[in-house]
Amino acid sequence: LVEVEVIPDAYIVSASAADHLAACIQRAVMEAVPEATECLVRVRTRSMECPMAARLPTPQEIDHHVRGILAEAPGVGAVTRTVAHFARLAPSVDVWIEVDPSHSLNDCHGIGASAQGLVLDSGLNFDAVKIHLDISKTEPA
């Protein structure tokens, strides 16, 4: 994770201008730092942060929120990873969950759809939620 705070030398007067600037910087950082898995760019205008961006949850807050929502979800063994994305001043998240390999393909599809619905309906106003299932069999120790 790379977090960048930008204070532009020209006054950014709209949320769309701040979003455009953040997207350009995010793309440049991801190209310059290939090992980075995600980049959060916060744009501040003068001494004030863009008010709409200030209301976005951090990737850490999203991770904690998603893990809490899915902790007791039926069929979800564990949340192994989350990756937050921010576009058009809305968060999106990719979530990797462990699923028991004894489940049928149809069951796995239902578990993923249920997990996606729980996260979408959880109150953080996600633009998109993608669930990735890890059904690899773990060997007993």
Side-chain angles (χ1 to χ4, degrees), residues 9-29:
D9 57 1
Y11 187 67
I12 301 292
V13 295
S14 69
S16 62
D19 184 53
H20 176 71
L21 177 61
C24 291
I25 292 169
Q26 182 183 44
R27 184 175 49 253
V29 168

Side-chain angles (χ1 to χ4, degrees), residues 3-85:
E3 292 189 46
V4 179
E5 182 173 276
V6 178
I7 303 172
D9 57 1
Y11 187 67
I12 301 292
V13 295
S14 69
S16 62
D19 184 53
H20 176 71
L21 177 61
C24 291
I25 292 169
Q26 182 183 44
R27 184 175 49 253
V29 168
M30 296 303 286
E31 288 173 2
V33 185
E35 63 273 9
T37 56
E38 61 183 304
C39 177
L40 172 64
V41 178
R42 294 191 179 263
V43 177
R44 290 189 181 265
T45 55
R46 295 192 185 177
S47 63
M48 299 295 291
E49 184 173 17
C50 176
M52 292 183 75
R55 288 181 263 180
L56 290 172
T58 67
Q60 294 83 2
E61 290 169 337
I62 290 172
D63 181 80
H64 179 74
H65 178 80
V66 167
R67 288 176 190 275
I69 292 297
L70 297 180
E72 300 297 323
V76 176
V79 174
T80 58
R81 181 177 183 212
T82 64
V83 175
H85 309 277

Side-chain angles (χ1 to χ4, degrees), residues 52-126:
M52 292 183 75
R55 288 181 263 180
L56 290 172
T58 67
Q60 294 83 2
E61 290 169 337
I62 290 172
D63 181 80
H64 179 74
H65 178 80
V66 167
R67 288 176 190 275
I69 292 297
L70 297 180
E72 300 297 323
V76 176
V79 174
T80 58
R81 181 177 183 212
T82 64
V83 175
H85 309 277
F86 299 87
R88 296 177 305 280
L89 294 173
S92 297
V93 66
D94 283 80
V95 182
W96 282 260
I97 60 173
E98 289 180 351
V99 178
D100 188 320
S102 67
H103 286 296
S104 70
L105 185 58
N106 191 46
D107 289 344
C108 288
H109 177 76
I111 291 167
S114 175
Q116 181 183 40
L118 288 169
V119 176
L120 279 170
D121 295 338
S122 67
L124 280 188
N125 298 319
F126 287 107

